Amino acid sequence: MNPLISICIPTKDRLKHLTATVESIINDGVDVSLYEIVISDNSDNDNIKSYCESLQANGYRVKHVKNPLLGFYNSIVSLREASGSLLKLHNDYSCFVKGQFSFMIKLVQENINDMPTIFFSNGTLGFNVNKLCTSKDDFFSKTHFQNTWSSAFSIWKKDFDLVPHERENLDSMFPHTSILLNCIKENYLICDYVIFENISVSGKGGYNLFDCFCNRYLNMLRAKVKSSELTNKTFRRIKWKMFLDFVTPWYYKTVSTDQGFTFDVTNADGIIKKNYGILPYYVMLTVCKIKKIISRR
């Protein structure tokens, strides 16, 4: 019998983080028949494989997939290998708060007939309640740039199987967001309760942050505006919300100051000016300079 939910975890060389996250799942008192854990692993060694084998030996439904392909498509590999009714993508550093995996199971059971796309925003949107959306445009407007966050993503297996998900069908940096944009749905459920806590990951980065979000992500949205799946109003809301709450803070953390991240910030200034204009760019610089002066006091 297939499980109710698959927790799909892509990982690479982070056994300590993965262990804490898996422990938060298996120690929440949920019947093991209701869930499986699928781990797509492109680590350089077999440590995670050995850990999964020990879990299997103890009766847990854990599937380990050794994936030689690097990059964010590792997320899609974990989804493809899952068999649950709902496929929940999950970062290896996102530990469930005590009792909240049980809460998630109950939420899935309550919605298995209507099958809305469930988005686990984890309290980041300020709703603190569940919100229903009746169109893709409404959903993207309400979730703004948070819809790029992989731990918020889930999809019913029936829907996933209908959306093309080969590498060539998806954006290489935002494959799960590509699926959200390409899936034909009219009902969405945003769960904005805090369900998990993120473990700090040192040296996070490895890709061009501003190119990914200001060029690549915004271009994905522009394409959906052109096809009339999203409105210009929603596009503008996401774009400027991202400028205030993401681009400016991350510019401060990676360009104005060095806080230990490994993101590539090549041509950050040119990319921001191109997408947001000269005046907002200089306002951002001023905000960052003021914040830097204050931090020195």
Side-chain angles (χ1 to χ4, degrees), residues 2-58:
N2 289 339
L4 175 71
I5 186 171
S6 299
I7 303 297
C8 306
I9 308 176
T11 190
K12 185 181 189 299
D13 297 322
R14 287 209 288 242
L15 177 59
K16 182 179 178 180
H17 295 79
L18 176 68
T19 300
T21 295
V22 170
E23 292 291 320
S24 74
I25 296 170
I26 65 177
N27 292 327
D28 209 44
V30 174
D31 188 325
V32 294
S33 68
L34 293 174
Y35 68 93
E36 68 173 354
I37 302 171
V38 180
I39 297 172
S40 182
D41 175 20
N42 53 20
S43 299
D44 297 324
N45 53 57
D46 287 332
N47 293 341
I48 289 175
K49 179 183 177 182
S50 297
Y51 172 61
C52 291
E53 289 172 347
S54 70
L55 290 169
Q56 293 164 353
N58 283 302

Coordinates of all heavy atoms in Angstrom, one line a residue, residues 2-58:
N2 N 0.6 2.2 -0.9 CA 1.4 3.4 -1.0 C 1.1 4.3 0.2 O 0.0 4.4 0.7 CB 1.0 4.2 -2.3 CG 1.6 3.4 -3.5 OD1 2.5 2.6 -3.4 ND2 1.0 3.7 -4.7
P3 N 2.1 5.1 0.6 CA 1.9 5.9 1.8 C 1.1 7.2 1.4 O 0.9 7.5 0.3 CB 3.4 6.3 2.1 CG 4.1 6.2 0.8 CD 3.5 5.1 0.1
L4 N 0.6 7.8 2.5 CA -0.2 9.1 2.3 C 0.7 10.2 1.8 O 0.4 10.9 0.9 CB -0.8 9.5 3.6 CG -1.6 10.8 3.6 CD1 -2.9 10.7 2.9 CD2 -1.8 11.2 5.1
I5 N 1.9 10.3 2.4 CA 2.8 11.4 2.0 C 4.2 10.9 1.9 O 4.7 10.0 2.6 CB 2.7 12.5 3.1 CG1 3.6 13.7 2.7 CG2 3.2 12.0 4.5 CD1 3.3 14.9 3.6
S6 N 4.9 11.5 0.9 CA 6.4 11.2 0.7 C 7.1 12.5 1.1 O 6.8 13.6 0.5 CB 6.7 10.8 -0.7 OG 6.0 9.6 -1.1
I7 N 8.0 12.4 2.0 CA 8.9 13.5 2.3 C 10.2 13.4 1.5 O 10.9 12.4 1.7 CB 9.3 13.6 3.8 CG1 8.0 13.7 4.7 CG2 10.2 14.8 4.1 CD1 7.2 14.9 4.5
C8 N 10.4 14.2 0.5 CA 11.4 14.1 -0.5 C 12.5 15.0 -0.2 O 12.4 16.3 -0.3 CB 10.8 14.4 -1.9 SG 9.3 13.4 -2.3
I9 N 13.7 14.5 0.1 CA 14.8 15.3 0.6 C 16.0 15.1 -0.4 O 16.7 14.1 -0.4 CB 15.2 14.9 2.0 CG1 14.0 14.9 2.9 CG2 16.3 15.8 2.5 CD1 14.3 14.4 4.4
P10 N 16.3 16.2 -1.1 CA 17.6 16.2 -1.9 C 18.7 16.6 -0.9 O 18.6 17.4 -0.1 CB 17.4 17.2 -2.9 CG 16.4 18.2 -2.3 CD 15.5 17.4 -1.4
T11 N 19.9 15.9 -1.1 CA 21.0 16.2 -0.1 C 22.3 16.0 -0.8 O 22.4 15.2 -1.7 CB 20.8 15.4 1.2 OG1 21.8 15.9 2.1 CG2 21.1 13.9 0.9
K12 N 23.3 16.6 -0.2 CA 24.7 16.4 -0.7 C 25.7 16.7 0.5 O 25.8 17.8 0.9 CB 25.1 17.3 -1.9 CG 26.5 17.0 -2.4 CD 26.8 17.9 -3.6 CE 28.1 17.5 -4.3 NZ 29.3 17.6 -3.5
D13 N 26.3 15.6 1.0 CA 27.3 15.8 2.0 C 26.9 16.5 3.3 O 27.7 17.3 3.8 CB 28.6 16.4 1.4 CG 29.2 15.6 0.3 OD1 29.2 14.4 0.4 OD2 29.6 16.2 -0.7
R14 N 25.6 16.4 3.7 CA 25.2 17.0 4.9 C 24.5 16.0 5.8 O 23.3 16.2 6.2 CB 24.3 18.2 4.6 CG 25.0 19.4 4.0 CD 24.3 20.7 4.3 NE 23.1 20.9 3.6 CZ 22.9 21.9 2.7 NH1 23.9 22.8 2.4 NH2 21.8 22.1 2.1
L15 N 25.2 15.0 6.2 CA 24.7 13.9 7.0 C 24.2 14.5 8.3 O 23.1 14.0 8.8 CB 25.7 12.8 7.2 CG 25.3 11.7 8.1 CD1 24.0 11.0 7.6 CD2 26.4 10.7 8.3
K16 N 24.9 15.4 9.0 CA 24.5 15.9 10.3 C 23.2 16.6 10.2 O 22.3 16.4 11.0 CB 25.6 16.8 10.8 CG 25.3 17.4 12.2 CD 26.4 18.3 12.7 CE 26.1 18.9 14.0 NZ 27.2 19.8 14.5
H17 N 23.0 17.4 9.2 CA 21.7 18.2 9.0 C 20.6 17.2 8.7 O 19.5 17.3 9.2 CB 21.9 19.2 7.9 CG 22.8 20.3 8.2 ND1 24.2 20.1 8.1 CD2 22.6 21.6 8.6 CE1 24.8 21.3 8.4 NE2 23.9 22.1 8.8
L18 N 20.9 16.3 7.8 CA 19.9 15.3 7.3 C 19.4 14.4 8.5 O 18.2 14.2 8.6 CB 20.5 14.4 6.2 CG 19.6 13.3 5.7 CD1 18.4 13.8 5.0 CD2 20.4 12.3 4.8
T19 N 20.3 14.0 9.3 CA 20.0 13.2 10.5 C 19.0 13.9 11.4 O 18.0 13.3 11.9 CB 21.2 12.7 11.2 OG1 22.1 12.0 10.4 CG2 20.9 11.9 12.4
A20 N 19.3 15.2 11.7 CA 18.4 15.9 12.6 C 17.0 16.1 12.0 O 16.0 16.0 12.7 CB 19.0 17.3 12.8
T21 N 17.0 16.3 10.7 CA 15.7 16.5 10.0 C 14.9 15.1 10.0 O 13.7 15.1 10.3 CB 15.9 17.0 8.6 OG1 16.5 18.3 8.6 CG2 14.6 17.0 7.8
V22 N 15.6 14.0 9.7 CA 14.9 12.7 9.6 C 14.4 12.4 11.0 O 13.3 11.9 11.2 CB 15.8 11.7 9.1 CG1 15.2 10.3 9.3 CG2 16.1 11.9 7.6
E23 N 15.2 12.6 12.0 CA 14.9 12.3 13.4 C 13.6 13.1 13.8 O 12.7 12.6 14.6 CB 16.0 12.7 14.4 CG 17.2 11.8 14.2 CD 17.0 10.3 14.7 OE1 16.3 10.2 15.7 OE2 17.5 9.4 14.0
S24 N 13.5 14.3 13.3 CA 12.3 15.1 13.7 C 11.0 14.5 13.0 O 9.9 14.8 13.5 CB 12.5 16.6 13.2 OG 12.4 16.7 11.8
I25 N 11.2 13.7 12.0 CA 10.0 13.1 11.3 C 9.7 11.8 12.1 O 8.5 11.6 12.5 CB 10.4 12.8 9.9 CG1 10.6 14.1 9.1 CG2 9.3 12.0 9.2 CD1 11.2 13.9 7.7
I26 N 10.7 10.9 12.2 CA 10.4 9.6 12.8 C 10.1 9.6 14.2 O 9.5 8.6 14.8 CB 11.5 8.6 12.4 CG1 12.8 9.0 13.2 CG2 11.8 8.5 10.9 CD1 14.0 8.0 12.9
N27 N 10.4 10.7 14.9 CA 10.1 10.7 16.4 C 8.9 11.6 16.7 O 8.8 12.0 17.9 CB 11.4 11.3 17.1 CG 12.5 10.3 17.1 OD1 12.4 9.1 17.1 ND2 13.7 10.9 17.0
D28 N 8.0 11.8 15.8 CA 6.8 12.6 16.0 C 5.6 11.8 16.3 O 4.5 12.3 16.3 CB 6.6 13.6 14.8 CG 5.9 14.8 15.3 OD1 6.3 15.4 16.3 OD2 5.0 15.3 14.6
G29 N 5.7 10.5 16.4 CA 4.6 9.6 16.8 C 3.6 9.3 15.7 O 2.5 8.9 15.9
V30 N 4.1 9.5 14.4 CA 3.2 9.2 13.3 C 3.4 7.7 12.9 O 4.5 7.2 12.8 CB 3.5 10.1 12.1 CG1 2.7 9.7 10.8 CG2 3.3 11.6 12.5
D31 N 2.3 7.0 12.6 CA 2.3 5.7 12.1 C 3.2 5.6 10.8 O 3.0 6.3 9.9 CB 0.9 5.2 11.8 CG 0.8 3.7 11.4 OD1 1.7 3.2 10.9 OD2 -0.3 3.1 11.8
V32 N 4.2 4.7 10.9 CA 5.2 4.6 9.8 C 4.5 4.2 8.5 O 5.1 4.4 7.4 CB 6.3 3.6 10.1 CG1 7.1 4.1 11.3 CG2 5.8 2.2 10.5
S33 N 3.3 3.6 8.5 CA 2.6 3.2 7.3 C 2.1 4.4 6.5 O 1.8 4.3 5.3 CB 1.5 2.2 7.6 OG 0.4 2.9 8.3
L34 N 2.0 5.6 7.2 CA 1.5 6.8 6.5 C 2.4 7.6 5.7 O 2.1 8.4 5.0 CB 0.8 7.7 7.6 CG -0.4 7.1 8.3 CD1 -0.8 8.1 9.5 CD2 -1.6 6.9 7.3
Y35 N 3.7 7.3 5.9 CA 4.7 8.1 5.2 C 5.9 7.3 4.8 O 6.2 6.2 5.3 CB 5.2 9.3 6.1 CG 6.0 8.9 7.3 CD1 7.4 8.8 7.3 CD2 5.3 8.5 8.5 CE1 8.1 8.4 8.4 CE2 6.1 8.1 9.6 CZ 7.5 8.1 9.5 OH 8.2 7.7 10.6
E36 N 6.6 7.9 3.8 CA 7.9 7.4 3.4 C 8.9 8.6 3.3 O 8.4 9.8 3.2 CB 7.9 6.7 2.1 CG 7.6 7.6 0.9 CD 7.7 6.9 -0.5 OE1 8.1 5.7 -0.5 OE2 7.4 7.5 -1.5
I37 N 10.2 8.3 3.4 CA 11.2 9.4 3.3 C 12.0 9.0 2.1 O 12.6 7.9 2.0 CB 12.0 9.5 4.5 CG1 11.2 9.9 5.7 CG2 13.1 10.6 4.3 CD1 11.9 9.8 7.1
V38 N 12.1 9.9 1.1 CA 12.9 9.6 -0.1 C 14.1 10.5 -0.1 O 13.9 11.8 -0.1 CB 12.0 9.8 -1.4 CG1 12.9 9.5 -2.6 CG2 10.8 8.9 -1.4
I39 N 15.2 10.0 -0.2 CA 16.5 10.8 -0.1 C 17.2 10.6 -1.4 O 17.7 9.5 -1.8 CB 17.3 10.4 1.1 CG1 16.6 10.6 2.4 CG2 18.7 11.1 1.1 CD1 17.2 10.1 3.6
S40 N 17.3 11.7 -2.1 CA 18.1 11.8 -3.4 C 19.5 12.3 -3.1 O 19.6 13.5 -2.7 CB 17.4 12.6 -4.4 OG 18.1 12.6 -5.6
D41 N 20.5 11.5 -3.2 CA 21.8 11.8 -2.7 C 22.9 11.9 -3.7 O 23.1 11.0 -4.4 CB 22.1 10.7 -1.7 CG 23.5 10.7 -1.1 OD1 24.1 11.8 -1.1 OD2 24.0 9.7 -0.6
N42 N 23.5 13.1 -3.9 CA 24.6 13.2 -4.8 C 25.9 13.6 -4.0 O 26.7 14.3 -4.5 CB 24.3 14.2 -6.0 CG 23.9 15.5 -5.5 OD1 24.1 15.9 -4.4 ND2 23.3 16.3 -6.4
S43 N 26.0 12.9 -2.9 CA 27.2 13.1 -2.0 C 28.4 12.4 -2.7 O 28.3 11.6 -3.6 CB 27.0 12.5 -0.6 OG 25.9 13.1 0.0
D44 N 29.6 12.8 -2.1 CA 30.8 12.3 -2.7 C 31.2 11.0 -2.0 O 32.3 10.4 -2.3 CB 32.0 13.3 -2.5 CG 31.7 14.6 -3.3 OD1 31.1 14.4 -4.4 OD2 32.0 15.7 -2.8
N45 N 30.4 10.5 -1.0 CA 30.7 9.3 -0.3 C 29.4 8.5 0.0 O 28.4 9.0 -0.4 CB 31.5 9.6 1.0 CG 30.8 10.6 1.9 OD1 29.6 10.4 2.2 ND2 31.4 11.7 2.2
D46 N 29.5 7.4 0.7 CA 28.4 6.6 1.0 C 27.9 6.7 2.4 O 27.1 5.8 2.9 CB 28.7 5.1 0.7 CG 28.8 4.8 -0.8 OD1 28.1 5.5 -1.6 OD2 29.6 3.9 -1.2
N47 N 28.2 7.8 3.1 CA 27.8 7.9 4.5 C 26.3 8.0 4.6 O 25.7 7.4 5.5 CB 28.4 9.1 5.1 CG 29.9 9.0 5.2 OD1 30.5 7.9 5.2 ND2 30.6 10.1 5.4
I48 N 25.7 8.7 3.7 CA 24.2 8.9 3.8 C 23.5 7.6 3.4 O 22.5 7.2 4.0 CB 23.7 10.1 2.9 CG1 24.2 11.4 3.6 CG2 22.2 10.1 2.7 CD1 23.9 12.6 2.8
K49 N 24.1 6.9 2.4 CA 23.5 5.6 2.1 C 23.5 4.6 3.3 O 22.5 3.9 3.5 CB 24.3 5.0 0.9 CG 23.8 3.6 0.5 CD 24.7 3.0 -0.6 CE 24.3 1.6 -1.0 NZ 25.2 1.0 -2.0
S50 N 24.6 4.6 4.0 CA 24.7 3.7 5.2 C 23.7 4.1 6.2 O 23.1 3.3 6.9 CB 26.1 3.8 5.8 OG 27.1 3.3 4.8
Y51 N 23.5 5.4 6.4 CA 22.5 5.9 7.4 C 21.1 5.5 7.0 O 20.3 5.0 7.8 CB 22.6 7.5 7.4 CG 21.5 8.1 8.3 CD1 21.3 7.8 9.6 CD2 20.6 9.0 7.7 CE1 20.3 8.3 10.4 CE2 19.6 9.5 8.4 CZ 19.4 9.2 9.8 OH 18.4 9.8 10.5
C52 N 20.8 5.6 5.7 CA 19.5 5.1 5.2 C 19.3 3.6 5.4 O 18.2 3.2 5.8 CB 19.3 5.5 3.7 SG 19.2 7.2 3.4
E53 N 20.3 2.9 5.2 CA 20.2 1.4 5.4 C 19.9 1.1 6.8 O 19.2 0.1 7.1 CB 21.5 0.7 4.9 CG 21.6 0.8 3.4 CD 23.0 0.3 2.9 OE1 23.9 0.1 3.7 OE2 23.1 0.0 1.7
S54 N 20.5 1.8 7.8 CA 20.3 1.6 9.2 C 18.8 1.9 9.5 O 18.2 1.2 10.4 CB 21.2 2.4 10.1 OG 20.9 3.8 10.0
L55 N 18.3 3.0 8.9 CA 16.8 3.3 9.1 C 15.9 2.2 8.6 O 15.0 1.8 9.2 CB 16.5 4.6 8.5 CG 17.1 5.9 9.1 CD1 16.9 7.1 8.2 CD2 16.5 6.2 10.4
Q56 N 16.3 1.7 7.4 CA 15.5 0.6 6.8 C 15.5 -0.6 7.7 O 14.5 -1.3 7.9 CB 16.0 0.3 5.4 CG 15.8 1.4 4.4 CD 16.7 1.2 3.2 OE1 17.6 0.4 3.1 NE2 16.5 2.1 2.2
A57 N 16.7 -0.9 8.3 CA 16.8 -2.1 9.1 C 16.0 -2.0 10.4 O 15.6 -3.0 11.0 CB 18.3 -2.3 9.5
N58 N 15.6 -0.7 10.8 CA 14.8 -0.5 11.9 C 13.3 -0.3 11.6 O 12.5 0.1 12.4 CB 15.3 0.7 12.7 CG 16.5 0.4 13.5 OD1 16.5 -0.4 14.4 ND2 17.6 1.2 13.2

